[in-house]
Amino acid sequence: MIPISPGRSRRATLAGAVCALLVAGTALTGCSEDPNEGTNGVGRLPADQIQTKAQKAAASAGTVRLHGSVQTSGRTYTLDMQLKPQGGIGSVSTEGETFRLLRVGQELYLKADAAFWGKGGDGDGDSKAADKLASKYVKVPEGDPSYTKFIGFTDKNVLLGGLLTLHGKLSTDGHHEQGGTRTVRVTGDDGAGGTLDVSLEGTPYPLRLVRAGQAGTLTFSSWGTDFPLEKPAKDDTLDYGKQLPTS
């Protein structure tokens, strides 16, 4: 059940009473509350324009927090990331393992426990390397495959630019709520190409995305809310200096 605020309930009751009075007195029909009353107005726009406004709002916002899951390259990743143009910080989980990512500028750090680093190892050398790397922010060399693989999770423009486009013919699918905020929903190919909930309150930020092909669901919050982003302390950092273990 979608919660309805007392204010909206009173407006709906009043509108219904007025409609009933008008219909009784003048035989008017079709009287109903405007679902876009008191909104930012994007709910009145065609679906393609709603998507474009959401994309522009996301691009112009300085920061965002996103959490949920994405499927890529045959794997499912669960993300909880805070992002801004200078970098990002948060956690990523996949195949039962969780690690933290931190990027400041072009410097990318990965932090995980010994079990993560030792996974797939087959000798004492691997165990020693895992113990050395455990619970440290390990600086990922820019030439390392892990750098290319994970830096996208910390890049606001790259990540959102690839996510906030639905596929197929766009249409609207009514008014909804996300986290207590009224939204209008846009779908691609009646949902097969993904769905995007866009805020009807204030700036039309995207608030929830269901990716096409059941490739994950993400929610977006804290648009424009700044957060600290600093390099880890030296005693909490390890510069491995070579390609990281393949695990």
Side-chain angles (χ1 to χ4, degrees), residues 104-127:
V104 181
Q106 293 304 307
E107 296 185 0
L108 178 66
Y109 301 87
L110 192 156
K111 187 175 185 179
D113 59 19
F116 173 88
W117 291 112
K119 189 176 182 181
D122 56 5
D124 291 340
D126 295 300
S127 177

Side-chain angles (χ1 to χ4, degrees), residues 62-85:
T63 62
V64 64
R65 180 174 183 175
L66 63 86
H67 68 274
S69 63
V70 294
Q71 294 181 13
T72 180
S73 302
R75 280 193 178 189
T76 297
Y77 296 90
T78 300
L79 311 178
D80 187 354
M81 300 293 301
Q82 292 177 283
L83 306 172
K84 56 184 174 181

